[in-house]
Amino acid sequence: MSEKSDFRWGPATGVGSMPGGDAREAAKTVTGSFEGPEQGIPFLAELPARGPGSDMIGRTAGLLVDLYARVEPSGWRIGDRPGRDTKRARSWLGEDLDALEEFTQGYEGPLKVQAVGPWTLAAALELRNGEAALSDLGACRDLAGSLAEGLRAHLADVRRRVPGARIVLQLDEPSLVAVLRGQVKTASEYRTHRAVDRQVVEGALRDVMAVNGGGPVVVHSCAPDVPFALLRRAGADAISFDFSLLTERDDETIGEAVEGGTKLFAGVVPGVDGPLSDPAGSVMGVRTLWRRLGLNPGSLAESVVLTPSCGLAGASPAYARAALAHCARAARSLADNPE
């Protein structure tokens, strides 16, 4: 807990994905957009435009230990041995890590690393029979264990490459709400897999979060109705979400999260090309939420990290650079004028 108690979060960051296929250009952007920890949190960029293996699911599948996946027409399927798809995923990850290492020489401060969480992975990876791993709780347990082991090795590699970094682990769980509500479709698409018990979901998340060795963990979901309370119980130190999807029925859980010390990664900047408002305009909704909750405006800068609403893979490179810089400027506006 001591690592968390004195951890200094940056005021802004990106979600994870970036446009294009040039690892060095992406690493240059995500490190250059935040000039030091006081500006924001650099992160290990994901470049899904390169194709299968650099997509969110394939990249994380490449981290698994003693489980392998290959691309089928229907998606990623668990297989018996590593094939070309696993090798491609690992190769691209290595390329991204090399680029990050190059642009973080001498860096000291927070550094964010993303991976798909155990439940979105279970909803996306198919078993040999073509059904999602979600259909078999034993397979879900094996998958979560393999993910934890792979992540532990991955984080150790990042620490070795960037020894001054304090790692923030982000678990991407866009399918979590669908898993909890029994809304993930079967292979036939005529039915859905039954909802997974909330305690089982919470336990697997807790186990995977523990791989950061007491370091901070953020869970990201850009779906509506993010289960803030469940994620906090599982051990999330921060929750990342699309701010535009919040409704007033989320107020109570948001207020409890803030008062409990949970960091909010608020996605306030559009993730696709379009006009950007002035920085103060981008955080107007955050200020309004704080007033509605009756929270101390002085706690805003301490409680909120600003991000794009979701990943930037669908944006142009120029817009992606502008969006990250805009997040940093909007965070300064929030700190300078919390009311």
Side-chain angles (χ1 to χ4, degrees), residues 216-230:
V217 178
V218 52
V219 177
H220 168 73
S221 175
C222 49
D225 300 322
V226 175
F228 286 88
L230 182 149

Side-chain angles (χ1 to χ4, degrees), residues 250-306:
D250 297 309
D251 281 6
E252 185 176 348
T253 53
I254 290 279
E256 289 174 353
V258 172
E259 290 175 348
T262 303
K263 205 81 168 179
L264 304 182
F265 278 45
V268 296
V269 176
V272 293
D273 290 42
L276 292 168
S277 70
D278 65 288
S282 293
V283 293
M284 187 182 304
V286 181
R287 291 193 182 100
T288 300
L289 172 66
W290 238 245
R291 285 195 296 271
R292 199 165 70 230
L293 295 176
L295 295 169
N296 175 14
S299 70
L300 260 174
E302 298 171 7
S303 302
V304 175
V305 175
L306 297 182

Side-chain angles (χ1 to χ4, degrees), residues 108-190:
E108 294 184 355
L111 176 66
K112 185 162 69 69
V113 176
Q114 307 82 218
V116 175
W119 295 106
T120 294
L121 201 61
L125 283 182
E126 300 173 357
L127 300 174
R128 292 172 182 81
N129 63 6
E131 288 294 351
L134 190 64
S135 63
D136 181 335
L137 284 182
C140 291
R141 283 192 296 273
D142 291 345
L143 192 56
S146 174
L147 174 63
E149 195 171 340
L151 271 175
R152 197 172 283 112
H154 177 47
L155 297 181
D157 185 25
V158 176
R159 289 188 178 97
R160 179 183 59 79
R161 290 169 176 266
V162 193
R166 301 189 70 180
I167 303 298
V168 178
L169 171 62
Q170 175 179 306
L171 296 178
D172 293 319
E173 282 283 13
S175 299
L176 181 59
V177 173
V179 168
L180 290 166
R181 293 181 176 175
Q183 295 172 337
V184 177
K185 290 186 176 181
T186 59
S188 69
E189 297 199 344
Y190 292 119

